[in-house]
Amino acid sequence: MKKICKDLRKHGEAISNMAKAQNRILNDLYQTVYGRSSSGDSSDKSRTRGPTRLVIKRVPELNAYASAQLALADTQQEMLMRLKLDEEWLLMEPIKKYSLMFPTVSATLAKRDSRKQDMEKANTKVERYKEKNSPKLDGAIADAKRAKDGFDKVDSIVVAELPTLYAGRLEFFEVCLGSYVQSQKLYYDEMVTAHRESLTKLGYSSGSPDEMKEQLDEEIDALFGELAALSVTDSAAAARTTK
């Protein structure tokens, strides 16, 4: 039970760290080009040099990107909090509550083992007294009967209830796990929707993944063309200045 809880915490931390890494990458991309973070923070003076000519031309797209990123980050944070709560209440708490039942079960099993040992010792004593024809035989037989009755009483409880407990455990965790899987599905569905909305804000079509990739490739090629043109222009200007 402890291992399951530990692994669940690691799983939640991994999802949270992945979301934070995604936001850092997106923010760094924006900051590299625009000279400030998408949230408007320009505390890093070394990187705030003002927009280049290409950035001035692309200000509307950059603003759209910043707006889309902020909306995406807000949605992601909200969904992460919901997923964490679901993880706590749909799995962690039920596991903790169920595990509280096991000390009682373990104690009952230990009690049965103890009564069994007492019964075996009593039977051994009866056999020994029989061999010696001891006057203590009647007392030993009575003790053996009491030991057997004690064992049978505990054993009957274990035999009757333990299979039901184990069967209920499977059904119990199937329900909890199924609910948590549904919660994860909701998280990823919401994140897919949020990413699609972000792409729409940036002016990309909401077609198939292949169509979207083709559109993005064309956009990247166009941007490289603009950058190459700026590089040629700057080089020519530098050459004229030198002459």
Side-chain angles (χ1 to χ4, degrees):
M1 293 296 177
K2 290 182 179 179
K3 186 178 186 303
I4 294 175
C5 291
K6 185 178 180 180
D7 289 341
L8 280 172
R9 290 193 183 94
K10 287 183 178 180
H11 175 259
E13 290 171 359
I15 293 179
S16 179
N17 290 335
M18 180 181 67
K20 290 176 182 178
Q22 288 174 339
N23 287 331
R24 283 197 300 269
I25 291 171
L26 293 172
N27 191 70
D28 287 346
L29 285 171
Y30 185 92
Q31 193 173 30
T32 298
V33 176
Y34 201 46
R36 60 183 173 85
S37 69
S38 59
S39 60
D41 180 17
S42 57
S43 57
D44 188 349
K45 304 299 182 182
S46 64
R47 303 188 71 167
T48 309
R49 299 183 298 273
T52 63
R53 280 177 291 171
L54 178 59
V55 172
I56 291 174
K57 183 178 179 181
R58 293 283 177 176
V59 163
E61 289 90 336
L62 288 167
N63 288 336
Y65 167 80
S67 174
Q69 183 191 341
L70 289 173
L72 181 61
D74 289 342
T75 300
Q76 193 168 40
Q77 185 63 29
E78 179 184 348
M79 294 307 300
L80 279 173
M81 289 298 296
R82 186 184 302 178
L83 185 63
K84 187 174 181 180
L85 287 174
D86 287 344
E87 180 181 281
E88 183 70 26
W89 291 106
L90 295 176
L91 279 180
M92 299 288 282
E93 284 301 317
I95 287 174
K96 290 176 183 177
K97 289 179 180 179
Y98 192 86
S99 64
L100 293 176
M101 301 171 64
F102 278 86
T104 304
V105 175
S106 299
T108 303
L109 291 174
K111 186 176 182 180
R112 183 181 68 168
D113 290 341
S114 177
R115 295 289 174 85
K116 183 179 180 180
Q117 290 177 7
D118 292 342
M119 182 180 66
E120 290 173 347
K121 288 179 181 178
N123 290 333
T124 300
K125 187 179 291 186
V126 168
E127 294 299 324
R128 188 169 66 249
Y129 286 163
K130 278 183 180 180
E131 291 176 359
K132 294 181 178 181
N133 197 20
S134 172
K136 297 180 180 180
L137 179 59
D138 291 340
I141 292 174
D143 291 341
K145 184 178 182 306
R146 283 193 295 270
K148 184 178 185 305
D149 291 342
F151 170 77
D152 289 343
K153 183 178 179 180
V154 179
D155 186 61
S156 62
I157 295 173
V158 172
V159 170
E161 297 184 0
L162 203 59
T164 303
L165 177 65
Y166 286 154
R169 179 178 63 179
L170 295 175
E171 185 176 352
F172 177 83
F173 283 114
E174 281 179 358
V175 173
C176 294
L177 186 60
S179 298
Y180 184 62
V181 169
Q182 287 295 325
S183 176
Q184 286 185 312
K185 180 180 181 298
L186 176 62
Y187 168 79
Y188 288 111
D189 285 347
E190 289 290 336
M191 291 312 302
V192 168
T193 300
H195 278 87
R196 286 189 181 279
E197 290 176 353
S198 296
L199 288 171
T200 301
K201 288 180 181 179
L202 292 173
Y204 296 106
S205 64
S206 57
S208 67
D210 288 338
E211 292 172 342
M212 194 171 293
K213 181 179 183 301
E214 184 178 350
Q215 187 178 359
L216 288 169
D217 287 342
E218 292 175 356
E219 178 78 9
I220 291 171
D221 289 340
L223 284 172
F224 272 124
E226 293 180 30
L227 288 170
L230 284 175
S231 178
V232 170
T233 302
D234 289 343
S235 298
R240 287 195 300 272
T241 303
T242 303
K243 291 180 180 179

